[in-house]
C-alpha cells in the first residue's frame, strides 16, 4: 500500500464512479497491502452499503486480518474499530455481517482453540471496552461454531445462553434478534433435538421481525431450515400447514429474495430450496441470479463455492426429470 491514509482516501474517492470489477480489485489490493504493513484503516464509514468503496476496503481488510489471525482477540479488535469508525446507526449491521461471516469461514482448526482466557480478560474490561468489541467476539465465536454444523450445535446454544460474555450483552436489545436466530439454528441442527420446539418459536419470532430489514439474520434462519435433523423431525405437514419440510426452504427463501433482491447469499438458499424440493428449472434461474450478484473478484466470497456445487448438481437433476 503506497502512501498514508490521505492517499487511501483519495484512491477510494476515485473509485466512487468505477465499475464493480475495478472497485473490487483495487479495494482488495489495498486491503492486502494494509494487512501486510499492519496499517489499520483510518477512515469513517457513513454507510453500511457493501458497494461503497470505503466499506468494501474496510471489510476486505478485516476479512484478511481475521483469516491471518483467527482469534477472538482479533475479532474484538475489529469490533472496537467499528465502534470508532462507523456511524452509530450502522454498527450493528456491519458487526453482524463482518464478524459472523468471518467466523463461519474461519480455518476449521481455529474453532478448537480455548476461549476461557479471552473471556476472563474481556469480563475485566466491561464498561471500559466498547460494547461492539465484546459483541464482535461473541458473534465471531458463534460463526466458528456454526461452521461445524450439527457437531457444534449444542455448544453454540451453550455459548449464547451461558457464556458470561453473551450474558453480559443480553440486555442490549440490538443483540436479541441475532441471538434468537442463532439459537433457533442451533435447535434445528442439534441431532438430539431436545429444544427443537423452542427453536421453532424462536425461529418464527425472529423471522417476523427480521425479514424486511436484516438479511444476515434472514440468512441464518434459512440455513436453519436446511438442517436434516429438523426435516426428519418435521415429518408430514401439521394441520393447517401446506408446506412439507422439503418445501419450506424454497418457500421462505422466495420471500427473502423479494425483500433483499441484491443479497446473493439468500439467492443461494432459494436455489438450493428449489432444487431439493424438485423444481430444477426454477432453481437454474435462481442460480443464474445468485451468480450474477457474486463479487467480481474470484475467491472473495465463500458462497462462490456453494453456488458452483449447486451448478454441478442441477444438470443431473434435469436429466433425471427428462427420463
Amino acid at each position: 500500500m503506497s502512501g498514508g491514509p490521505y492517499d487511501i482516501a483519495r484512491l477510494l474517492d476515485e473509485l466512487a464512479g468505477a465499475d464493480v470489477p475495478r472497485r473490487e480489485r483495487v479495494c482488495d489490493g489495498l486491503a492486502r497491502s494494509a494487512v501486510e504493513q499492519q496499517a489499520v484503516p483510518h477512515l469513517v464509514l457513513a454507510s453500511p452499503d457493501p458497494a461503497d468503496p470505503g466499506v468494501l476496503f474496510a471489510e476486505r481488510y478485516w476479512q484478511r486480518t481475521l483469516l491471518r489471525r483467527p482469534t477472538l482477540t482479533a475479532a474484538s479488535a475489529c469490533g472496537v474499530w467499528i465502534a470508532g469508525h462507523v456511524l452509530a446507526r450502522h454498527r450493528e449491521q456491519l458487526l453482524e455481517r463482518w464478524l459472523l461471516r468471518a467466523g463461519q469461514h474461519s480455518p476449521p482448526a481455529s474453532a478448537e482453540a480455548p476461549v476461557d482466557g479471552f473471556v476472563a480478560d474481556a469480563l475485566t474490561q466491561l464498561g471500559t471496552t466498547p460494547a461492539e468489541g465484546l459483541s464482535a467476539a461473541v458473534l465471531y465465536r458463534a460463526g466458528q461454531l456454526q461452521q461445524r454444523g450439527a457437531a457444534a450445535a449444542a455448544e453454540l446454544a451453550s455459548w449464547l445462553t451461558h457464556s458470561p460474555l453473551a450474558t453480559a450483552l443480553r440486555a442490549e436489545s440490538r443483540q436479541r434478534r441475532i441471538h434468537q436466530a442463532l439459537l433457533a439454528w442451533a435447535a434445528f441442527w442439534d441431532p438430539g433435538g431436545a429444544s427443537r420446539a423452542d427453536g421453532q418459536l424462536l425461529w418464527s419470532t425472529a423471522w417476523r421481525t427480521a425479514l424486511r430489514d436484516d438479511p444476515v439474520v434472514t440468512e441464518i434462519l434459512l440455513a436453519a431450515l436446511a438442517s436434516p435433523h429438523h426435516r426428519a423431525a418435521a415429518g408430514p405437514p401439521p394441520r393447517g400447514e401446506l408446506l412439507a419440510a422439503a418445501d419450506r426452504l424454497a418457500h421462505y427463501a422466495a420471500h427473502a429474495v423479494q425483500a433483499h433482491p441484491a443479497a446473493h447469499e439468500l439467492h443461494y438458499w432459494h436455489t438450493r430450496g428449489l432444487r431439493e424440493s424438485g423444481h430444477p428449472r426454477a432453481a437454474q434461474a435462481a442460480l443464474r441470479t445468485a451468480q450474477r450478484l457474486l463479487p467480481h473478484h474470484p475467491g472473495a466470497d465463500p458462497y462462490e463455492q456453494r453456488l458452483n456445487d449447486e451448478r454441478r448438481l442441477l444438470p443431473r437433476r434435469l436429466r433425471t426429470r427428462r427420463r
Side-chain angles (χ1 to χ4, degrees), residues 36-290:
E36 290 172 353
Q37 297 179 28
Q38 299 183 13
V40 180
H42 293 283
L43 71 164
V44 175
L45 303 182
S47 161
D49 183 1
D52 178 277
V55 176
L56 181 58
F57 163 60
E59 181 171 12
R60 294 287 171 85
Y61 169 84
W62 285 109
Q63 187 181 68
R64 287 181 172 275
T65 296
L66 288 165
L67 281 173
R68 180 174 287 198
R69 291 190 293 128
T71 65
L72 296 189
T73 301
S76 181
C78 177
V80 171
W81 185 92
I82 287 174
H85 295 82
V86 179
L87 294 187
R89 65 180 178 272
H90 302 312
R91 290 173 193 166
E92 176 187 359
Q93 187 173 343
L94 293 188
L95 274 169
E96 291 179 359
R97 194 169 76 215
W98 293 4
L99 275 303
L100 190 66
R101 194 160 294 162
Q104 290 167 345
H105 303 293
S106 60
S110 68
E112 305 296 335
V115 300
D116 292 347
F118 172 85
V119 170
D121 290 343
L123 289 173
T124 66
Q125 300 171 37
L126 285 173
T128 59
T129 297
E132 289 84 358
L134 303 181
S135 296
V138 170
L139 290 170
Y140 183 75
R141 179 61 177 168
Q144 286 182 312
L145 296 172
Q146 195 183 18
Q147 178 196 98
R148 294 170 56 197
E155 188 177 352
L156 172 58
S158 177
W159 169 253
L160 294 171
T161 307
H162 303 300
S163 160
L165 273 188
T167 301
L169 291 167
R170 197 169 297 136
E172 298 277 344
S173 60
R174 64 186 180 180
Q175 293 294 310
R176 289 176 188 162
R177 188 160 62 183
I178 196 163
H179 282 202
Q180 278 184 331
L182 286 166
L183 285 170
W185 182 94
F188 282 15
W189 278 82
D190 183 358
S195 59
R196 196 163 285 127
D198 292 338
Q200 183 61 57
L201 179 60
L202 287 166
W203 192 98
S204 300
T205 302
W207 181 264
R208 285 194 301 270
T209 60
L211 177 61
R212 290 186 178 180
D213 65 353
D214 198 330
V216 175
V217 170
T218 301
E219 178 190 354
I220 295 168
L221 295 171
L222 292 178
L225 293 180
S227 162
H229 308 293
H230 166 66
R231 293 182 179 187
R239 174 177 284 184
E241 173 61 76
L242 299 177
L243 299 170
D247 298 317
R248 289 174 191 155
L249 178 58
H251 172 80
Y252 286 107
H255 287 284
V257 298
Q258 281 187 328
H260 306 285
H264 64 273
E265 302 91 346
L266 303 183
H267 286 279
Y268 161 76
W269 290 110
H270 192 209
T271 300
R272 178 169 165 179
L274 288 167
R275 175 181 61 78
E276 291 182 345
S277 59
H279 303 284
R281 295 190 186 280
Q284 277 195 323
L287 175 65
R288 285 194 292 269
T289 301

